[in-house]
Amino acid sequence: MALVRTDFDSKVLHARRLLREGRDIPTGLVADEVQRSWSRSLEHGLREHDRILFNPVSAAQLRRLDETHRVLLTHVEPEMQRLFTALGNARWMLACLEARGTVIKALGGQDQELRDIATVLHPGRNLSENVAGTSAPGCALEERRPVIVRGSEHFLEEIHMCACVAVPIFDPSGDVAGVLNASRHHHAPSIGILEPLALTARAIENRMVNALPSALHLRLHYSAELVGTPMCGLLALSHDGHLLGANPLARQLLELDMLPEAGQCAQTVFQCGLGPLLDMLRKHGCTPAPLHCHNGVLLHVSLAEAPHPRTFAAPSPQPTAGRMASTPHTAHTSMPSMLADPKLSLRIHQAERAFARGIPVLINGETGTGKEVLARHLHDGGPRASGPFVAINCSAIPSGLIESELFGYDDGAFTGARRGGMAGRFEQANGGTLFLDEVGDMPLELQARLLRVLQERTLTRLGSARSIALDCSVICATHRDLAQRVASGEFREDLYYRINGLRITLPALRERSDLDALIDHFLAREAAPATLALTPAARNCLHRHDWPGNIRELQQVLRLGAALAESSIDLVHLPAELTETPATPRPAHEPDPLLDGKATLQQTEAEAVRAAFLRHDGNISATARTLGIARATLYRKLRGYGLLSDAEEAR
């Protein structure tokens, strides 16, 4: 992109000349933090014309980075994806750098006009000041505060095309954990990014505090109205009253850095021991309690249950009989994969509020639409997030076993019963959430017992007379129309109204308006830590497919493409059933957004095959290797496209 000289550029270039000449730079030409960074860059021995940032990064380096910083990425990735989705088509590229300046996560850059910026922000690239000179992320790490660096303010000439905004991320101990950066072309239309970026960094910091294990979490602010909002301070205390961590606002409000390290405990901060403090906060309940702190400041404080970090598993194969999941999941698929659709996002937000208040949620949707992902999301943000999440597929358990699986049995309840008996899924979910998938396939005779358990909140094991109290949330899901099954007598009406407090329907993938956002989200995950793009032909192929397997099928397709491709995923890297079956035709009035209606899928593939064939001078083995397909498949395509003469085939 050609740079257009502006008054800003002229001032910066004048300041750079003064810098090279060793002269003082007058106030107002460049920001003070930029001038300080220029001086540090010179001290590091850097020169403006150095070519540093376009050196290759090995796959081994990327794997090591991802493994080393997996915990930080668990907190960063969901919030980065949320911001990236919100930015839409604003042409920003996002990146997270760890504390020493190396990029560990990047989003965006698929557009041709952002390819040069994507190269600069490629995972594995080091943008610290001692390596890359002045840049927003490098300077933010040094200055420990938000920094904006535009155009020729960058020390290295090779990145003068960038405009960058960076905000540091602080860990619960107050140290810099990394930096969040947004970049675009210097002369692109202006748009405010600093505030959204700062709010995203705040959300990441709050996640890290909330994730501290075995902690009591306090929320605090000058204003009682802001306690409990994302804008409040967060403080984590151990159960013996010692400070475990805090977000930056809490550290600032309480002046924690002014306290001696050994004295950082509840009594030092709030002038009372942990016991009296907790008694006071519990007495106030949901209303923040006014407390004078060690520095004389009056803050409003409340006790809060710490939600688990919102990291979720990808939609997995249907659970088998007896499958139980009660451990936290790593960040493979996050809720942004569902929240890119505005209407669906609103409905999920309503489900969150309902579930948090004890209202049962019923999830409808085809197989593979992410029903269990949503159920986990509700659990992890709900009132029993610290308890287990137990998932069971009612359609996968033989009808003769489902009663013992759900309700358990005592020793000797039946022939072959386990010695000592067995707790059922309801018991295993006590204190947490039970997810009943495909509840519409539950045998009619067991529906009455399920209803009784839900009403009375107690159960009795098979072969036992003892009642067991239950305290668990229940989420149900089904691909069936339960109202229709009620009408046909296949599902109890009273049970239907018991589980259908709020019903949310997850649309099939072919019905969603955010297919491109989903493709980019899953492609970034499958290709990580590298970066892959889709060719227009491959993206068009994904748009035309009917997706009977929904999100689960899309993930598998992109996983295959990421495994076969080297730099970009083309038609030859997609499953044959997507490229060799007739594509679903678009309505006559609907233009093809990617190929403009001028080229068919087969023509585009033929051109790709022909180009590779000619590039390798007709060498079948080399062509097949480049395209990532078998020799037999290549022969079939060459014959089908008329690219293989009889003489060549005989050879």
Side-chain angles (χ1 to χ4, degrees):
M1 175 181 289
L3 295 181
V4 179
R5 182 68 59 83
T6 65
D7 183 57
F8 168 84
D9 294 312
S10 298
K11 288 182 177 180
V12 176
L13 291 175
H14 177 51
R16 292 178 74 95
R17 283 195 297 271
L18 296 175
L19 179 72
R20 284 193 296 269
E21 295 167 3
R23 297 163 60 188
D24 292 337
I25 300 176
T27 302
L29 286 185
V30 293
D32 291 344
E33 62 267 22
V34 170
Q35 186 172 341
R36 288 194 295 270
S37 181
W38 282 356
S39 298
R40 290 193 295 265
S41 300
L42 290 174
E43 291 171 3
H44 292 311
L46 295 171
R47 296 171 299 178
E48 301 171 40
H49 306 299
D50 288 344
R51 299 284 296 178
I52 293 172
L53 297 179
F54 295 90
N55 296 326
V57 179
S58 72
Q61 287 176 289
L62 295 177
R63 282 194 298 272
R64 283 195 299 271
L65 271 176
D66 189 72
E67 292 167 0
T68 303
H69 302 287
R70 177 43 41 193
V71 174
L72 175 60
L73 286 169
T74 297
H75 304 300
V76 166
E77 287 174 332
E79 299 301 336
M80 276 186 68
Q81 184 65 54
R82 193 188 305 273
L83 176 59
F84 185 70
T85 300
L87 291 175
N89 297 320
R91 297 292 193 274
W92 283 101
M93 184 166 180
L94 302 180
C96 178
L97 295 80
E98 48 85 49
R100 288 177 293 185
T102 301
V103 179
I104 59 174
K105 178 70 177 179
L107 288 177
Q110 283 78 23
D111 293 344
Q112 185 62 40
E113 67 177 79
L114 291 177
R115 290 292 172 83
D116 49 356
I117 294 178
T119 303
V120 174
L121 296 178
H122 191 281
R125 199 79 70 206
N126 191 323
L127 297 179
S128 61
E129 277 190 351
N130 62 315
V131 172
T134 303
S135 69
C139 190
L141 287 172
E142 291 290 334
E143 301 273 334
R144 295 172 62 91
R145 63 189 182 91
V147 172
I148 300 173
V149 176
R150 296 173 292 168
S152 49
E153 286 183 326
H154 291 88
F155 186 81
L156 296 179
E157 291 181 352
E158 62 181 341
I159 50 175
H160 281 188
M161 73 290 190
C162 298
C164 304
V165 181
V167 177
I169 301 168
F170 294 94
D171 68 19
S173 66
D175 294 328
V176 175
V179 66
L180 199 60
N181 180 80
S183 295
R184 69 187 311 182
H185 279 109
H186 171 35
H187 291 296
S190 177
I191 181 174
I193 190 66
L194 179 57
E195 188 66 20
L197 202 66
L199 290 173
T200 301
R202 167 69 59 81
I204 294 168
E205 291 162 347
N206 290 350
R207 280 176 174 272
M208 290 192 283
V209 175
N210 283 328
L212 290 172
S214 303
L216 297 166
H217 290 78
L218 305 184
R219 302 172 185 267
L220 45 93
H221 203 278
Y222 288 123
S223 169
E225 289 76 17
L226 293 179
V227 175
T229 72
M231 304 303 296
C232 72
L234 287 178
L235 189 71
L237 296 171
S238 68
H239 288 272
D240 60 359
H242 285 86
L243 179 64
L244 297 177
N247 71 355
L249 181 60
R251 303 190 76 84
Q252 180 182 356
L253 293 175
L254 297 171
E255 295 182 322
L256 294 181
D257 295 334
M258 304 296 292
L259 292 173
E261 187 68 28
Q264 293 193 356
C265 61
Q267 186 163 355
T268 305
V269 174
F270 295 110
Q271 300 180 329
C272 64
L274 181 63
L277 174 64
L278 294 181
D279 289 342
M280 180 186 301
L281 296 179
R282 286 167 179 153
K283 181 179 178 180
H284 278 75
C286 297
T287 304
L291 286 175
H292 280 94
C293 304
H294 71 98
N295 56 359
V297 174
L298 177 67
L299 296 178
H300 297 274
V301 185
S302 69
L303 181 65
E305 292 294 332
H308 280 220
R310 294 195 171 192
T311 55
F312 313 98
S316 53
Q318 289 293 327
T320 57
R323 173 171 167 262
M324 173 181 168
S326 59
T327 55
H329 275 61
T330 53
H332 292 305
T333 298
S334 53
M335 283 306 294
S337 67
M338 288 187 175
L339 300 183
D341 185 308
K343 292 182 181 178
L344 182 57
S345 176
L346 174 62
R347 196 63 176 152
I348 289 174
H349 179 63
Q350 292 173 338
E352 292 170 345
R353 293 176 63 86
F355 185 72
R357 287 160 177 78
I359 298 172
V361 175
L362 175 63
I363 307 172
N364 268 114
E366 295 180 6
T367 297
T369 51
K371 296 190 290 294
E372 185 174 341
V373 173
L374 176 56
R376 288 185 182 279
H377 172 73
L378 296 176
H379 165 74
D380 287 347
R384 296 176 175 86
S386 59
F389 178 90
V390 179
I392 187 167
N393 187 339
C394 298
S395 67
I397 303 176
S399 57
L401 297 178
I402 191 169
E403 187 171 11
S404 61
E405 284 286 338
L406 284 178
F407 308 114
Y409 56 82
D410 265 4
D411 190 5
F414 51 84
T415 303
R418 182 187 302 173
R419 180 175 297 179
M422 186 189 78
R425 292 296 181 257
F426 269 103
E427 280 186 74
Q428 293 169 354
N430 232 341
T433 299
L434 178 69
F435 174 53
L436 295 175
D437 198 6
E438 301 303 350
V439 70
D441 294 311
M442 177 178 286
L444 193 60
E445 61 270 18
L446 282 181
Q447 294 176 21
R449 187 163 183 195
L450 173 61
L451 176 64
R452 187 163 59 251
V453 170
L454 294 178
Q455 288 176 332
E456 298 173 2
R457 291 290 167 174
T458 61
L459 66 80
T460 304
R461 290 185 181 184
L462 291 177
S464 174
R466 179 173 60 93
S467 293
I468 299 172
L470 289 178
D471 177 28
C472 69
S473 302
V474 177
I475 303 173
C476 296
T478 181
H479 73 282
R480 297 187 181 274
D481 185 338
L482 288 189
Q484 188 178 65
R485 290 179 74 80
V486 168
S488 65
E490 298 173 279
F491 200 85
R492 292 182 61 106
E493 184 176 20
D494 46 5
L495 177 59
Y496 173 64
Y497 289 116
R498 170 64 63 174
I499 65 176
N500 187 22
L502 180 142
R503 185 166 67 90
I504 178 172
T505 300
L506 299 181
L509 189 55
R510 58 186 171 276
E511 299 168 354
R512 293 183 59 159
S513 62
D514 57 343
L515 179 58
D516 275 316
L518 288 168
I519 290 171
D520 292 339
H521 170 75
F522 288 122
L523 179 58
R525 196 204 77 187
E526 296 300 340
T531 302
L532 277 179
L534 280 164
T535 65
R539 189 176 289 268
N540 184 63
C541 178
L542 300 186
H543 271 272
R544 290 170 176 266
H545 187 53
D546 197 42
W547 299 112
N550 289 298
I551 291 177
R552 188 175 296 127
E553 182 186 4
L554 174 62
Q555 287 181 277
Q556 294 291 1
V557 167
L558 293 175
R559 183 172 297 133
L560 174 65
L564 297 180
E566 294 184 1
S567 58
S568 60
I569 298 176
D570 207 345
L571 292 173
V572 293
H573 305 122
L574 300 179
E577 57 268 26
L578 266 70
T579 59
E580 294 182 358
T581 55
T584 304
R586 291 180 177 271
H589 64 277
E590 184 181 346
D592 187 323
L594 294 170
L595 293 185
D596 234 4
K598 296 178 181 178
T600 66
L601 209 57
Q602 290 76 14
Q603 288 171 332
T604 306
E605 183 182 63
E607 292 170 4
V609 173
R610 180 187 294 110
F613 191 54
L614 294 176
R615 187 164 65 251
H616 292 290
D617 297 322
N619 186 305
I620 295 293
S621 297
T623 303
R625 190 162 49 249
T626 296
L627 295 175
I629 59 178
R631 285 167 51 92
T633 303
L634 177 59
Y635 270 116
R636 186 174 69 252
K637 292 181 181 295
L638 291 172
R639 283 193 296 269
Y641 295 137
L643 299 175
L644 193 65
S645 67
D646 293 339
E648 288 173 317
E649 186 164 5
R651 191 176 62 190

